[in-house]
Amino acid sequence: MRIEVWSDVVCPWCYIGKRRLETALARFPHRDEVEVVWRSFQLDPSIPEGQTHPTLPALAAKYGRPVEEVRAMMRHVEETAAGEGLQYSLADGVSGNTLLAHELVHLGAERGLQAQTKERLLRAYFEEGRPVFDVDSLAALAVEVGLDEAEVRAALADHRYRPAVLADAATAQQLGATGVPFFVVDRRYGAAGAQPADVLLQLLERAWAERAPVASAGDVPRAPHRRG
């Protein structure tokens, strides 16, 4: 069984959703027969590559809300993340274009290190306050998970994985994903948002039970679409 997860490395709910998926998988009897594939999705592809800016004032301006109101919203997300064992400091965050980071995750996948690469980028950004937008920063993180620095720099320089990143984004659009995290099981069942672990476990159990070839080819059953 294959679980595809569309997410961004600067999406706070995506890291929370990842932890909840891991909790669900730990309770799933067929965990050893499940493949998790991380797909690319950019929260804000309009940010010019190579530019960064403080997240808090940018979000306040984007939504037309006072900075302190947005800060309070961030504290709520931080509290939710803490419940999953994650320590965020969102008000101090910096935003940028994540295309290079997604290209690195695709390289990690080709080298059998996708899960490690994805986790390292999320932890670096959310728990360590490290940048994930430039080649030097990404190369340093990649080496930590076992990727070759020279290959990383070459791949990010020639953008050999960019078509795969853009293809992921196009597929997400085709599947109806308007936000992330977005979970898809065997391209037949979907769940949007950082669903509780119990909901994700129910999704896995249903998908497993209905894997038989005799399953109806009609309407695709889907899990409740609810944002975290």
Side-chain angles (χ1 to χ4, degrees):
M1 191 164 73
R2 169 180 283 197
I3 304 172
E4 295 169 278
V5 188
W6 275 262
S7 67
D8 201 352
V9 297
V10 296
C11 163
W13 287 108
C14 291
Y15 204 6
I16 292 169
K18 183 176 186 293
R19 282 291 180 269
R20 291 176 173 176
L21 175 61
E22 290 164 354
T23 299
L25 285 170
R27 295 160 52 192
F28 186 56
H30 309 287
R31 171 64 184 94
D32 292 342
E33 298 177 71
V34 175
E35 176 191 15
V36 179
V37 179
W38 297 98
R39 300 296 188 191
S40 302
F41 188 102
Q42 285 191 280
L43 285 180
D44 190 355
S46 68
I47 301 176
E49 290 185 66
Q51 295 185 19
T52 60
H53 58 258
T55 302
L56 177 58
L59 283 180
K62 178 179 180 179
Y63 294 111
R65 296 186 178 184
V67 168
E68 287 310 311
E69 182 179 338
V70 176
R71 191 189 301 274
M73 294 168 60
M74 286 179 164
R75 282 197 293 268
H76 168 68
V77 179
E78 289 170 351
E79 291 169 0
T80 304
E84 304 298 332
L86 301 172
Q87 300 302 314
Y88 286 2
S89 182
L90 298 179
D92 300 322
V94 174
S95 296
N97 191 293
T98 56
L99 273 174
L100 287 177
H102 287 297
E103 291 176 27
L104 178 60
V105 174
H106 276 274
L107 170 59
E110 195 164 281
R111 295 292 172 262
L113 293 168
Q114 188 186 47
Q116 295 91 326
T117 304
K118 182 74 172 183
E119 173 68 23
R120 189 66 192 95
L121 294 179
L122 287 165
R123 180 159 57 89
Y125 182 73
F126 285 108
E127 297 200 300
E128 300 171 5
R130 293 174 63 174
V132 292
F133 310 110
D134 62 278
V135 173
D136 288 342
S137 298
L138 292 170
L141 294 168
V143 169
E144 292 183 25
V145 300
L147 292 171
D148 178 75
E149 181 176 357
E151 182 180 32
V152 168
R153 290 183 177 277
L156 297 184
D158 64 24
H159 303 299
R160 66 190 69 167
Y161 295 102
R162 185 153 300 189
V165 172
L166 299 178
D168 278 354
T171 301
Q173 187 174 30
Q174 292 166 6
L175 293 173
T178 57
V180 286
F182 186 67
F183 305 89
V184 177
V185 183
D186 286 342
R187 292 290 173 100
R188 298 181 65 222
Y189 310 84
Q195 300 285 348
D198 286 346
V199 173
L200 292 174
L201 180 59
Q202 291 170 11
L203 175 67
L204 298 179
E205 291 172 339
R206 181 180 183 184
W208 185 268
E210 299 179 6
R211 290 180 76 232
V214 294
S216 171
D219 293 338
V220 177
R222 294 187 182 275
H225 283 231
R226 182 178 61 189
R227 233 168 265 290

